[in-house]
Every structure is written in C-alpha cells, then in structure tokens.
Amino acid sequence: MDLAREDGKRRTRRRGGFASRAEAVREMKAVLDGELRGVYEDRRTTVASFLREWLAAKKEVLAPNTYAGYADCVERDLIPAFGHYRLPDLRPKQIDAWVTAQQKAGRGRVTVYRVVSTLRNALNHAVRTWRLRYNPAKHSVPPRPRAVERTCWTPDEAAAFLRHNSEHYADRLSDLFEVMLGTGMRRGEILALHWSDVHLMDRKLYVRWTLAAVNNNGILFREPKTEASRAWISLSPRAMAALHRQAALQMAAHPEGRLEGLVFAKPDGSPLRPQWVLDQLRKRTAEAGLPRIGLHDLRHTAASIMIAADIPVAVVSKTMRHSTLAITINLYGHLLKDSADEAVKALSAALDHADAQAARQTDPAVGRNFGQAA
C-alpha cells in the first residue's frame, strides 16, 4: 500500500506471510488505521519479542543491578505468563488473573509488585513509541508493600560492636565498620573508596565511585546514582584513626611506601565481595550478642545516632547526602518523636506568652482588649 507522502517522497509499506487474503486485508486496515491515528499495533509482535527488545534498549541506560532485576522479572515470570500473546491482544483481565493466581499461591507481595511494575514500565514504552494505544497493565499493579522498618542499633550497641571487633579481630573489616558507622557511607561507596579520594591532612574524603555486585557475581565500579551522593565527607577522629591504621598497614606492605588502589581490599588489592562483608557482619554481630542487622542498617544507625543527639534534621540530611530533606524525613521521621514533643511544647509556650501579653494590654476601665477592639 502507498502511505502519505513525506517531504514529497513516496512511501510504500509491504507486509507478507499471511495465511489468507482476509488476514492480509485485516492487516492492511490496521496499518491504515495506524497511519490515521498515529499508532501502529503490529500484530506480528509478541509480548515476548517486545519485552526482549525493550530489555536490550534499556541495558545501555540502566544501572547493572536494576537491569539484572528487570531481566529476571522478564525471563522468569513475564515471558512464561504472557509471552505467547500478540502485543495488541494483551488485556488487563489476563494480567489481573495472573496477579490473583500468584497471590493465592502465596507469592511474596514485593515480588508480585516488582514483576507487574516491570510489565507496566515496558508497556509504557510501547505507548510512548506509538506501538500500543493504551497500557493494559496501567491499573493492574497491586499496591506497593510498605517498607519494613529497619533495625537500628543504639549508641551503646554500636559502640559494643566496634569494641568487639577491636578486641577480637583488629583487621581491615574492623576499620571498615568503624568508617561506615562514623560517616554513614553506603556499602558500595565504602567498598569502592580509593586512596586517591582520601585526604587525611584535610580530614575529608570524596565519594567518587560505588561498587555494584550484579547477582552477587560480577563486580564493577560506577558513579553514584545521584549528584548529591558525589560529595565530600568530613572524618571524625575515630574514622581518621581507622584510616590511619589502614594506611600504615598498606604502606608497610609496599616497599615504595605509596598509597594507591582501594582503601579496603583483599591482600592482592582486589575488591571485597559485598556478600562476604555481610556474612562477617552477621557473624560478629552474633558473637557480640547484638540485634541482627544488614550493612545498609549501619548507615541508618549512624543517622539515628545523630538524630538522637538532637542534630538538626537538615544537618543530618546533608551529612547523609540525601538529595532532598523530604527523603530524610520519610526515612527517619519515626525517630523524630522527641523533636515533635519539643515543638508542640514550644508552640504551647508561645501561645501562652501571647495570651499573657494580651491580658496585660486589656483596659481595666473598659474590660476589653485593645487588639480585639481594633
């Protein structure tokens, strides 16, 4: 068929391989309708082929772990469930039926949410590129499960953990945990920290890289996700002492006496595996008889200790390198109850003070407040 001309040039579209003339006519009508509406729904495209095409396009722009999560959802769940459908034939009722079946089978709410969210994201791309008229998964995503409240150590528990490490291990992980609790750095940031970004004379370090372990297997370095994460961090005396110990050990191991490469690494200089560090954290936590936490919970512990010490939340947000103050409040708002109590007391005191001033301004002869009369 001939399509509308562009720049005075003839455009022709050909399609073949139809089982019958009637099928070819239906396809021709679909192409013409697509030209008219600006949306062409190619019935030869299956959901499986589209999802794999979408994944290939996303691979260049997504963080490795994010891409791995999408790929896992696509290959493990979406293609087996919906891959055989023609892309234009996928309907909300089919997606809703799959969600219901997964929930009845006892599938985790977080897993089901992630799978259907991935499908919605992919089909949004189909709508944006004029390959679908509407997104059938738009209203099928189940409610997002509430995040589990993370466990944070108290200052006494954090100090007990560091003391246990110092007394029973005194190794590079002891210093790594000391720096994490003393700065609030993320797991990937501390494991990717290079000596070239540590300025001991200035008592600061710069977060330039983060380490990612894709499927707990391949390890790679990349820039932090947000601009706010790439920032200078001040070092406390305890964190300084830990870094000085690591510097002394590494300088002694190198005859030339130069500090280079990773701050916390294996003896051969290669990166530490995040899973091994987590295993060691849990092992040493159990030995010290402390509540079980994860590596990211060390960051939350650092923030909670600052909040408990009445550090202004804006300063905590800046120290934790959150992109907005709202993120800090959403994460740690439950820890601000004492601050809320103080705020309410201050508000009540201010109103009482205003009432007292108004009473003093009342004219005894008239018995009315001048401010109210005005």
mmCIF file of all heavy atoms in Angstrom, residues 107-155:
data_model
loop_
_atom_site.group_PDB
_atom_site.id
_atom_site.type_symbol
_atom_site.label_atom_id
_atom_site.label_comp_id
_atom_site.label_asym_id
_atom_site.label_seq_id
_atom_site.Cartn_x
_atom_site.Cartn_y
_atom_site.Cartn_z
ATOM 1 N N ARG A 107 2.743 -16.215 46.772
ATOM 2 C CA ARG A 107 3.926 -15.497 46.269
ATOM 3 C C ARG A 107 4.106 -14.211 47.059
ATOM 4 O O ARG A 107 3.141 -13.547 47.442
ATOM 5 C CB ARG A 107 3.727 -15.175 44.784
ATOM 6 C CG ARG A 107 5.003 -14.735 44.049
ATOM 7 C CD ARG A 107 5.776 -15.935 43.577
ATOM 8 N NE ARG A 107 6.985 -15.548 42.862
ATOM 9 C CZ ARG A 107 7.017 -15.292 41.553
ATOM 10 N NH1 ARG A 107 5.910 -15.370 40.833
ATOM 11 N NH2 ARG A 107 8.153 -14.982 40.966
ATOM 12 N N GLY A 108 5.314 -13.820 47.284
ATOM 13 C CA GLY A 108 5.596 -12.612 48.047
ATOM 14 C C GLY A 108 4.995 -11.373 47.429
ATOM 15 O O GLY A 108 5.038 -11.194 46.195
ATOM 16 N N ARG A 109 4.445 -10.500 48.243
ATOM 17 C CA ARG A 109 3.802 -9.274 47.730
ATOM 18 C C ARG A 109 4.810 -8.372 47.029
ATOM 19 O O ARG A 109 4.496 -7.759 46.003
ATOM 20 C CB ARG A 109 3.135 -8.526 48.882
ATOM 21 C CG ARG A 109 1.954 -9.266 49.502
ATOM 22 C CD ARG A 109 1.471 -8.543 50.746
ATOM 23 N NE ARG A 109 1.082 -7.174 50.450
ATOM 24 C CZ ARG A 109 0.946 -6.233 51.364
ATOM 25 N NH1 ARG A 109 1.176 -6.520 52.644
ATOM 26 N NH2 ARG A 109 0.567 -5.010 51.026
ATOM 27 N N VAL A 110 6.000 -8.312 47.573
ATOM 28 C CA VAL A 110 7.030 -7.462 46.964
ATOM 29 C C VAL A 110 7.405 -8.003 45.594
ATOM 30 O O VAL A 110 7.562 -7.245 44.620
ATOM 31 C CB VAL A 110 8.269 -7.376 47.874
ATOM 32 C CG1 VAL A 110 9.402 -6.622 47.178
ATOM 33 C CG2 VAL A 110 7.915 -6.682 49.182
ATOM 34 N N THR A 111 7.539 -9.318 45.476
ATOM 35 C CA THR A 111 7.905 -9.929 44.193
ATOM 36 C C THR A 111 6.829 -9.680 43.142
ATOM 37 O O THR A 111 7.133 -9.293 42.002
ATOM 38 C CB THR A 111 8.123 -11.438 44.369
ATOM 39 O OG1 THR A 111 9.153 -11.649 45.338
ATOM 40 C CG2 THR A 111 8.525 -12.081 43.062
ATOM 41 N N VAL A 112 5.561 -9.907 43.499
ATOM 42 C CA VAL A 112 4.468 -9.690 42.553
ATOM 43 C C VAL A 112 4.422 -8.219 42.131
ATOM 44 O O VAL A 112 4.227 -7.899 40.946
ATOM 45 C CB VAL A 112 3.123 -10.121 43.167
ATOM 46 C CG1 VAL A 112 1.962 -9.770 42.237
ATOM 47 C CG2 VAL A 112 3.132 -11.623 43.455
ATOM 48 N N TYR A 113 4.609 -7.334 43.090
ATOM 49 C CA TYR A 113 4.601 -5.895 42.773
ATOM 50 C C TYR A 113 5.705 -5.563 41.778
ATOM 51 O O TYR A 113 5.481 -4.833 40.797
ATOM 52 C CB TYR A 113 4.773 -5.091 44.059
ATOM 53 C CG TYR A 113 5.028 -3.620 43.820
ATOM 54 C CD1 TYR A 113 3.974 -2.756 43.539
ATOM 55 C CD2 TYR A 113 6.324 -3.109 43.844
ATOM 56 C CE1 TYR A 113 4.203 -1.414 43.293
ATOM 57 C CE2 TYR A 113 6.560 -1.767 43.605
ATOM 58 C CZ TYR A 113 5.499 -0.922 43.331
ATOM 59 O OH TYR A 113 5.740 0.405 43.083
ATOM 60 N N ARG A 114 6.903 -6.094 41.994
ATOM 61 C CA ARG A 114 8.029 -5.784 41.102
ATOM 62 C C ARG A 114 7.802 -6.326 39.702
ATOM 63 O O ARG A 114 8.113 -5.659 38.707
ATOM 64 C CB ARG A 114 9.313 -6.359 41.684
ATOM 65 C CG ARG A 114 9.835 -5.593 42.889
ATOM 66 C CD ARG A 114 11.052 -6.278 43.479
ATOM 67 N NE ARG A 114 11.592 -5.524 44.616
ATOM 68 C CZ ARG A 114 12.526 -5.983 45.436
ATOM 69 N NH1 ARG A 114 13.026 -7.205 45.250
ATOM 70 N NH2 ARG A 114 12.951 -5.245 46.442
ATOM 71 N N VAL A 115 7.249 -7.532 39.598
ATOM 72 C CA VAL A 115 7.026 -8.140 38.281
ATOM 73 C C VAL A 115 6.027 -7.310 37.482
ATOM 74 O O VAL A 115 6.274 -6.966 36.312
ATOM 75 C CB VAL A 115 6.541 -9.594 38.442
ATOM 76 C CG1 VAL A 115 6.095 -10.150 37.095
ATOM 77 C CG2 VAL A 115 7.652 -10.456 39.030
ATOM 78 N N VAL A 116 4.895 -6.978 38.082
ATOM 79 C CA VAL A 116 3.863 -6.237 37.336
ATOM 80 C C VAL A 116 4.321 -4.802 37.085
ATOM 81 O O VAL A 116 3.987 -4.216 36.048
ATOM 82 C CB VAL A 116 2.519 -6.277 38.092
ATOM 83 C CG1 VAL A 116 1.425 -5.641 37.244
ATOM 84 C CG2 VAL A 116 2.131 -7.704 38.418
ATOM 85 N N SER A 117 5.092 -4.229 37.994
ATOM 86 C CA SER A 117 5.643 -2.886 37.752
ATOM 87 C C SER A 117 6.582 -2.900 36.553
ATOM 88 O O SER A 117 6.607 -1.951 35.752
ATOM 89 C CB SER A 117 6.385 -2.392 38.990
ATOM 90 O OG SER A 117 5.499 -2.160 40.056
ATOM 91 N N THR A 118 7.361 -3.957 36.430
ATOM 92 C CA THR A 118 8.251 -4.085 35.272
ATOM 93 C C THR A 118 7.442 -4.171 33.986
ATOM 94 O O THR A 118 7.777 -3.525 32.980
ATOM 95 C CB THR A 118 9.137 -5.334 35.418
ATOM 96 O OG1 THR A 118 9.924 -5.223 36.610
ATOM 97 C CG2 THR A 118 10.060 -5.491 34.221
ATOM 98 N N LEU A 119 6.354 -4.952 34.005
ATOM 99 C CA LEU A 119 5.494 -5.038 32.817
ATOM 100 C C LEU A 119 4.878 -3.683 32.483
ATOM 101 O O LEU A 119 4.833 -3.276 31.318
ATOM 102 C CB LEU A 119 4.396 -6.071 33.057
ATOM 103 C CG LEU A 119 3.396 -6.263 31.914
ATOM 104 C CD1 LEU A 119 4.104 -6.754 30.657
ATOM 105 C CD2 LEU A 119 2.293 -7.237 32.320
ATOM 106 N N ARG A 120 4.422 -2.970 33.504
ATOM 107 C CA ARG A 120 3.842 -1.646 33.268
ATOM 108 C C ARG A 120 4.874 -0.706 32.649
ATOM 109 O O ARG A 120 4.575 0.045 31.714
ATOM 110 C CB ARG A 120 3.310 -1.058 34.569
ATOM 111 C CG ARG A 120 2.705 0.338 34.404
ATOM 112 C CD ARG A 120 2.179 0.873 35.713
ATOM 113 N NE ARG A 120 3.235 0.990 36.715
ATOM 114 C CZ ARG A 120 3.041 1.361 37.973
ATOM 115 N NH1 ARG A 120 1.812 1.636 38.386
ATOM 116 N NH2 ARG A 120 4.040 1.446 38.825
ATOM 117 N N ASN A 121 6.093 -0.720 33.165
ATOM 118 C CA ASN A 121 7.140 0.146 32.614
ATOM 119 C C ASN A 121 7.418 -0.184 31.151
ATOM 120 O O ASN A 121 7.587 0.717 30.318
ATOM 121 C CB ASN A 121 8.420 -0.014 33.431
ATOM 122 C CG ASN A 121 8.307 0.572 34.812
ATOM 123 O OD1 ASN A 121 7.417 1.381 35.077
ATOM 124 N ND2 ASN A 121 9.181 0.174 35.721
ATOM 125 N N ALA A 122 7.482 -1.474 30.837
ATOM 126 C CA ALA A 122 7.749 -1.868 29.449
ATOM 127 C C ALA A 122 6.621 -1.436 28.527
ATOM 128 O O ALA A 122 6.861 -0.905 27.430
ATOM 129 C CB ALA A 122 7.945 -3.385 29.384
ATOM 130 N N LEU A 123 5.379 -1.650 28.948
ATOM 131 C CA LEU A 123 4.246 -1.289 28.098
ATOM 132 C C LEU A 123 4.062 0.223 27.998
ATOM 133 O O LEU A 123 3.527 0.720 27.006
ATOM 134 C CB LEU A 123 2.969 -1.954 28.610
ATOM 135 C CG LEU A 123 2.984 -3.497 28.572
ATOM 136 C CD1 LEU A 123 1.671 -4.056 29.085
ATOM 137 C CD2 LEU A 123 3.278 -3.998 27.161
ATOM 138 N N ASN A 124 4.493 0.960 29.011
ATOM 139 C CA ASN A 124 4.511 2.425 28.886
ATOM 140 C C ASN A 124 5.416 2.842 27.728
ATOM 141 O O ASN A 124 5.113 3.794 26.996
ATOM 142 C CB ASN A 124 5.010 3.064 30.178
ATOM 143 C CG ASN A 124 3.905 3.237 31.205
ATOM 144 O OD1 ASN A 124 2.727 3.262 30.859
ATOM 145 N ND2 ASN A 124 4.269 3.368 32.461
ATOM 146 N N HIS A 125 6.519 2.128 27.571
ATOM 147 C CA HIS A 125 7.420 2.415 26.449
ATOM 148 C C HIS A 125 6.722 2.135 25.123
ATOM 149 O O HIS A 125 6.877 2.895 24.155
ATOM 150 C CB HIS A 125 8.682 1.564 26.577
ATOM 151 C CG HIS A 125 9.620 1.703 25.417
ATOM 152 N ND1 HIS A 125 10.418 2.823 25.225
ATOM 153 C CD2 HIS A 125 9.890 0.863 24.366
ATOM 154 C CE1 HIS A 125 11.128 2.670 24.127
ATOM 155 N NE2 HIS A 125 10.829 1.496 23.585
ATOM 156 N N ALA A 126 5.935 1.057 25.081
ATOM 157 C CA ALA A 126 5.193 0.750 23.846
ATOM 158 C C ALA A 126 4.197 1.858 23.513
ATOM 159 O O ALA A 126 4.018 2.213 22.341
ATOM 160 C CB ALA A 126 4.476 -0.592 23.998
ATOM 161 N N VAL A 127 3.551 2.416 24.540
ATOM 162 C CA VAL A 127 2.598 3.514 24.304
ATOM 163 C C VAL A 127 3.335 4.766 23.846
ATOM 164 O O VAL A 127 2.894 5.459 22.906
ATOM 165 C CB VAL A 127 1.782 3.786 25.583
ATOM 166 C CG1 VAL A 127 0.910 5.028 25.415
ATOM 167 C CG2 VAL A 127 0.909 2.578 25.925
ATOM 168 N N ARG A 128 4.466 5.060 24.502
ATOM 169 C CA ARG A 128 5.222 6.275 24.124
ATOM 170 C C ARG A 128 5.758 6.205 22.704
ATOM 171 O O ARG A 128 5.913 7.233 22.039
ATOM 172 C CB ARG A 128 6.384 6.481 25.098
ATOM 173 C CG ARG A 128 5.962 6.994 26.465
ATOM 174 C CD ARG A 128 7.176 7.497 27.235
ATOM 175 N NE ARG A 128 8.152 6.434 27.450
ATOM 176 C CZ ARG A 128 8.168 5.634 28.512
ATOM 177 N NH1 ARG A 128 7.240 5.775 29.444
ATOM 178 N NH2 ARG A 128 9.092 4.698 28.637
ATOM 179 N N THR A 129 6.068 5.002 22.232
ATOM 180 C CA THR A 129 6.607 4.842 20.881
ATOM 181 C C THR A 129 5.516 4.496 19.863
ATOM 182 O O THR A 129 5.827 4.035 18.761
ATOM 183 C CB THR A 129 7.688 3.742 20.865
ATOM 184 O OG1 THR A 129 7.155 2.526 21.429
ATOM 185 C CG2 THR A 129 8.906 4.167 21.674
ATOM 186 N N TRP A 130 4.241 4.713 20.235
ATOM 187 C CA TRP A 130 3.098 4.571 19.332
ATOM 188 C C TRP A 130 2.930 3.140 18.816
ATOM 189 O O TRP A 130 2.522 2.928 17.690
ATOM 190 C CB TRP A 130 3.233 5.544 18.146
ATOM 191 C CG TRP A 130 3.468 6.948 18.573
ATOM 192 C CD1 TRP A 130 4.631 7.635 18.538
ATOM 193 C CD2 TRP A 130 2.495 7.847 19.121
ATOM 194 N NE1 TRP A 130 4.472 8.902 19.025
ATOM 195 C CE2 TRP A 130 3.151 9.061 19.397
ATOM 196 C CE3 TRP A 130 1.125 7.744 19.393
ATOM 197 C CZ2 TRP A 130 2.504 10.142 19.937
ATOM 198 C CZ3 TRP A 130 0.484 8.839 19.943
ATOM 199 C CH2 TRP A 130 1.181 10.018 20.207
ATOM 200 N N ARG A 131 3.233 2.181 19.684
ATOM 201 C CA ARG A 131 3.043 0.782 19.294
ATOM 202 C C ARG A 131 1.833 0.175 19.995
ATOM 203 O O ARG A 131 1.408 -0.930 19.652
ATOM 204 C CB ARG A 131 4.305 -0.015 19.610
ATOM 205 C CG ARG A 131 5.522 0.515 18.864
ATOM 206 C CD ARG A 131 6.796 -0.150 19.290
ATOM 207 N NE ARG A 131 6.851 -1.542 18.890
ATOM 208 C CZ ARG A 131 7.913 -2.309 19.059
ATOM 209 N NH1 ARG A 131 9.006 -1.801 19.630
ATOM 210 N NH2 ARG A 131 7.904 -3.567 18.682
ATOM 211 N N LEU A 132 1.295 0.871 20.973
ATOM 212 C CA LEU A 132 0.061 0.486 21.645
ATOM 213 C C LEU A 132 -0.772 1.732 21.881
ATOM 214 O O LEU A 132 -0.220 2.815 22.120
ATOM 215 C CB LEU A 132 0.348 -0.204 22.980
ATOM 216 C CG LEU A 132 0.743 -1.678 22.980
ATOM 217 C CD1 LEU A 132 0.962 -2.143 24.418
ATOM 218 C CD2 LEU A 132 -0.300 -2.545 22.296
ATOM 219 N N ARG A 133 -2.080 1.570 21.870
ATOM 220 C CA ARG A 133 -2.962 2.710 22.128
ATOM 221 C C ARG A 133 -3.103 2.981 23.621
ATOM 222 O O ARG A 133 -3.317 4.121 24.026
ATOM 223 C CB ARG A 133 -4.344 2.441 21.526
ATOM 224 C CG ARG A 133 -4.314 2.206 20.026
ATOM 225 C CD ARG A 133 -5.704 2.002 19.464
ATOM 226 N NE ARG A 133 -5.655 1.553 18.079
ATOM 227 C CZ ARG A 133 -6.714 1.396 17.303
ATOM 228 N NH1 ARG A 133 -7.914 1.655 17.789
ATOM 229 N NH2 ARG A 133 -6.597 0.975 16.063
ATOM 230 N N TYR A 134 -3.012 1.921 24.411
ATOM 231 C CA TYR A 134 -3.139 2.095 25.854
ATOM 232 C C TYR A 134 -2.302 1.022 26.534
ATOM 233 O O TYR A 134 -1.899 0.030 25.911
ATOM 234 C CB TYR A 134 -4.599 1.999 26.302
ATOM 235 C CG TYR A 134 -5.141 0.586 26.333
ATOM 236 C CD1 TYR A 134 -5.270 -0.116 27.539
ATOM 237 C CD2 TYR A 134 -5.505 -0.065 25.150
ATOM 238 C CE1 TYR A 134 -5.752 -1.418 27.552
ATOM 239 C CE2 TYR A 134 -5.981 -1.355 25.158
ATOM 240 C CZ TYR A 134 -6.107 -2.025 26.368
ATOM 241 O OH TYR A 134 -6.571 -3.311 26.383
ATOM 242 N N ASN A 135 -2.040 1.222 27.810
ATOM 243 C CA ASN A 135 -1.231 0.281 28.586
ATOM 244 C C ASN A 135 -2.165 -0.643 29.370
ATOM 245 O O ASN A 135 -2.793 -0.204 30.337
ATOM 246 C CB ASN A 135 -0.305 1.048 29.538
ATOM 247 C CG ASN A 135 0.638 0.136 30.293
ATOM 248 O OD1 ASN A 135 0.453 -1.070 30.378
ATOM 249 N ND2 ASN A 135 1.685 0.724 30.861
ATOM 250 N N PRO A 136 -2.245 -1.919 29.026
ATOM 251 C CA PRO A 136 -3.162 -2.808 29.732
ATOM 252 C C PRO A 136 -2.750 -3.101 31.168
ATOM 253 O O PRO A 136 -3.568 -3.585 31.960
ATOM 254 C CB PRO A 136 -3.130 -4.087 28.885
ATOM 255 C CG PRO A 136 -1.836 -4.030 28.145
ATOM 256 C CD PRO A 136 -1.568 -2.585 27.899
ATOM 257 N N ALA A 137 -1.508 -2.807 31.517
ATOM 258 C CA ALA A 137 -1.042 -3.055 32.894
ATOM 259 C C ALA A 137 -1.135 -1.810 33.764
ATOM 260 O O ALA A 137 -0.732 -1.843 34.927
ATOM 261 C CB ALA A 137 0.395 -3.570 32.890
ATOM 262 N N LYS A 138 -1.693 -0.736 33.230
ATOM 263 C CA LYS A 138 -1.692 0.539 33.941
ATOM 264 C C LYS A 138 -2.332 0.445 35.314
ATOM 265 O O LYS A 138 -1.836 1.000 36.296
ATOM 266 C CB LYS A 138 -2.406 1.593 33.089
ATOM 267 C CG LYS A 138 -2.442 2.971 33.731
ATOM 268 C CD LYS A 138 -3.104 3.986 32.812
ATOM 269 C CE LYS A 138 -3.132 5.364 33.444
ATOM 270 N NZ LYS A 138 -3.780 6.379 32.553
ATOM 271 N N HIS A 139 -3.459 -0.260 35.407
ATOM 272 C CA HIS A 139 -4.203 -0.334 36.659
ATOM 273 C C HIS A 139 -4.118 -1.720 37.308
ATOM 274 O O HIS A 139 -4.892 -2.019 38.209
ATOM 275 C CB HIS A 139 -5.674 0.022 36.417
ATOM 276 C CG HIS A 139 -5.873 1.390 35.843
ATOM 277 N ND1 HIS A 139 -5.568 2.542 36.536
ATOM 278 C CD2 HIS A 139 -6.322 1.784 34.616
ATOM 279 C CE1 HIS A 139 -5.835 3.593 35.776
ATOM 280 N NE2 HIS A 139 -6.284 3.173 34.608
ATOM 281 N N SER A 140 -3.200 -2.544 36.845
ATOM 282 C CA SER A 140 -3.102 -3.906 37.362
ATOM 283 C C SER A 140 -2.021 -4.073 38.424
ATOM 284 O O SER A 140 -1.930 -5.145 39.022
ATOM 285 C CB SER A 140 -2.833 -4.889 36.211
ATOM 286 O OG SER A 140 -3.903 -4.876 35.284
ATOM 287 N N VAL A 141 -1.202 -3.050 38.617
ATOM 288 C CA VAL A 141 -0.126 -3.155 39.598
ATOM 289 C C VAL A 141 -0.729 -3.141 40.999
ATOM 290 O O VAL A 141 -1.455 -2.207 41.355
ATOM 291 C CB VAL A 141 0.879 -1.998 39.440
ATOM 292 C CG1 VAL A 141 2.009 -2.134 40.461
ATOM 293 C CG2 VAL A 141 1.446 -1.979 38.032
ATOM 294 N N PRO A 142 -0.452 -4.148 41.814
ATOM 295 C CA PRO A 142 -1.002 -4.165 43.180
ATOM 296 C C PRO A 142 -0.390 -3.050 44.016
ATOM 297 O O PRO A 142 0.654 -2.480 43.652
ATOM 298 C CB PRO A 142 -0.605 -5.547 43.712
ATOM 299 C CG PRO A 142 0.557 -5.961 42.879
ATOM 300 C CD PRO A 142 0.361 -5.343 41.523
ATOM 301 N N PRO A 143 -1.024 -2.687 45.126
ATOM 302 C CA PRO A 143 -0.473 -1.631 45.981
ATOM 303 C C PRO A 143 0.960 -1.953 46.405
ATOM 304 O O PRO A 143 1.294 -3.104 46.687
ATOM 305 C CB PRO A 143 -1.414 -1.609 47.191
ATOM 306 C CG PRO A 143 -2.688 -2.210 46.683
ATOM 307 C CD PRO A 143 -2.290 -3.227 45.660
ATOM 308 N N ARG A 144 1.760 -0.935 46.435
ATOM 309 C CA ARG A 144 3.163 -1.129 46.817
ATOM 310 C C ARG A 144 3.248 -1.507 48.299
ATOM 311 O O ARG A 144 2.729 -0.786 49.152
ATOM 312 C CB ARG A 144 3.967 0.142 46.568
ATOM 313 C CG ARG A 144 5.450 -0.009 46.883
ATOM 314 C CD ARG A 144 6.228 1.164 46.363
ATOM 315 N NE ARG A 144 7.647 0.955 46.497
ATOM 316 C CZ ARG A 144 8.585 1.711 45.902
ATOM 317 N NH1 ARG A 144 8.203 2.722 45.135
ATOM 318 N NH2 ARG A 144 9.862 1.461 46.060
ATOM 319 N N PRO A 145 3.893 -2.621 48.615
ATOM 320 C CA PRO A 145 4.003 -3.022 50.025
ATOM 321 C C PRO A 145 4.787 -1.982 50.826
ATOM 322 O O PRO A 145 5.738 -1.366 50.319
ATOM 323 C CB PRO A 145 4.760 -4.351 49.962
ATOM 324 C CG PRO A 145 4.597 -4.825 48.557
ATOM 325 C CD PRO A 145 4.513 -3.589 47.715
ATOM 326 N N ARG A 146 4.371 -1.785 52.047
ATOM 327 C CA ARG A 146 5.078 -0.851 52.915
ATOM 328 C C ARG A 146 6.452 -1.393 53.250
ATOM 329 O O ARG A 146 6.638 -2.581 53.500
ATOM 330 C CB ARG A 146 4.287 -0.620 54.206
ATOM 331 C CG ARG A 146 2.973 0.112 54.006
ATOM 332 C CD ARG A 146 2.307 0.401 55.335
ATOM 333 N NE ARG A 146 3.143 1.230 56.188
ATOM 334 C CZ ARG A 146 2.813 1.588 57.424
ATOM 335 N NH1 ARG A 146 1.684 1.153 57.961
ATOM 336 N NH2 ARG A 146 3.629 2.343 58.128
ATOM 337 N N ALA A 147 7.419 -0.499 53.242
ATOM 338 C CA ALA A 147 8.789 -0.909 53.552
ATOM 339 C C ALA A 147 8.877 -1.348 55.013
ATOM 340 O O ALA A 147 8.275 -0.733 55.900
ATOM 341 C CB ALA A 147 9.758 0.243 53.293
ATOM 342 N N VAL A 148 9.607 -2.414 55.232
ATOM 343 C CA VAL A 148 9.806 -2.898 56.596
ATOM 344 C C VAL A 148 10.709 -1.920 57.345
ATOM 345 O O VAL A 148 11.721 -1.458 56.814
ATOM 346 C CB VAL A 148 10.455 -4.299 56.582
ATOM 347 C CG1 VAL A 148 10.710 -4.787 57.993
ATOM 348 C CG2 VAL A 148 9.557 -5.276 55.829
ATOM 349 N N GLU A 149 10.292 -1.565 58.548
ATOM 350 C CA GLU A 149 11.093 -0.629 59.341
ATOM 351 C C GLU A 149 12.435 -1.269 59.685
ATOM 352 O O GLU A 149 12.500 -2.381 60.211
ATOM 353 C CB GLU A 149 10.351 -0.269 60.628
ATOM 354 C CG GLU A 149 11.046 0.829 61.422
ATOM 355 C CD GLU A 149 10.211 1.296 62.601
ATOM 356 O OE1 GLU A 149 8.995 1.487 62.406
ATOM 357 O OE2 GLU A 149 10.776 1.444 63.695
ATOM 358 N N ARG A 150 13.489 -0.575 59.349
ATOM 359 C CA ARG A 150 14.822 -1.130 59.538
ATOM 360 C C ARG A 150 15.234 -1.099 61.007
ATOM 361 O O ARG A 150 14.850 -0.207 61.751
ATOM 362 C CB ARG A 150 15.851 -0.355 58.704
ATOM 363 C CG ARG A 150 15.720 -0.611 57.206
ATOM 364 C CD ARG A 150 16.851 0.029 56.450
ATOM 365 N NE ARG A 150 16.836 -0.319 55.040
ATOM 366 C CZ ARG A 150 17.409 -1.389 54.522
ATOM 367 N NH1 ARG A 150 18.054 -2.219 55.311
ATOM 368 N NH2 ARG A 150 17.356 -1.635 53.235
ATOM 369 N N THR A 151 16.057 -2.080 61.363
ATOM 370 C CA THR A 151 16.584 -2.146 62.717
ATOM 371 C C THR A 151 17.814 -1.250 62.826
ATOM 372 O O THR A 151 18.701 -1.294 61.970
ATOM 373 C CB THR A 151 16.973 -3.588 63.074
ATOM 374 O OG1 THR A 151 15.818 -4.416 62.943
ATOM 375 C CG2 THR A 151 17.509 -3.674 64.490
ATOM 376 N N CYS A 152 17.842 -0.429 63.831
ATOM 377 C CA CYS A 152 18.999 0.436 64.091
ATOM 378 C C CYS A 152 19.560 0.112 65.467
ATOM 379 O O CYS A 152 18.803 -0.131 66.414
ATOM 380 C CB CYS A 152 18.607 1.917 64.020
ATOM 381 S SG CYS A 152 18.100 2.470 62.384
ATOM 382 N N TRP A 153 20.856 0.118 65.582
ATOM 383 C CA TRP A 153 21.482 -0.058 66.884
ATOM 384 C C TRP A 153 21.419 1.242 67.679
ATOM 385 O O TRP A 153 21.427 2.344 67.116
ATOM 386 C CB TRP A 153 22.938 -0.462 66.728
ATOM 387 C CG TRP A 153 23.146 -1.904 66.376
ATOM 388 C CD1 TRP A 153 22.283 -2.934 66.603
ATOM 389 C CD2 TRP A 153 24.292 -2.462 65.729
ATOM 390 N NE1 TRP A 153 22.826 -4.114 66.149
ATOM 391 C CE2 TRP A 153 24.054 -3.853 65.619
ATOM 392 C CE3 TRP A 153 25.483 -1.933 65.245
ATOM 393 C CZ2 TRP A 153 24.989 -4.718 65.035
ATOM 394 C CZ3 TRP A 153 26.407 -2.789 64.672
ATOM 395 C CH2 TRP A 153 26.156 -4.166 64.566
ATOM 396 N N THR A 154 21.409 1.103 68.981
ATOM 397 C CA THR A 154 21.568 2.258 69.862
ATOM 398 C C THR A 154 23.045 2.633 69.895
ATOM 399 O O THR A 154 23.908 1.833 69.481
ATOM 400 C CB THR A 154 21.090 1.917 71.282
ATOM 401 O OG1 THR A 154 21.964 0.899 71.825
ATOM 402 C CG2 THR A 154 19.659 1.424 71.272
ATOM 403 N N PRO A 155 23.377 3.818 70.383
ATOM 404 C CA PRO A 155 24.804 4.163 70.504
ATOM 405 C C PRO A 155 25.584 3.141 71.319
ATOM 406 O O PRO A 155 26.726 2.805 70.972
ATOM 407 C CB PRO A 155 24.762 5.536 71.183
ATOM 408 C CG PRO A 155 23.454 6.117 70.773
ATOM 409 C CD PRO A 155 22.504 4.959 70.700
#
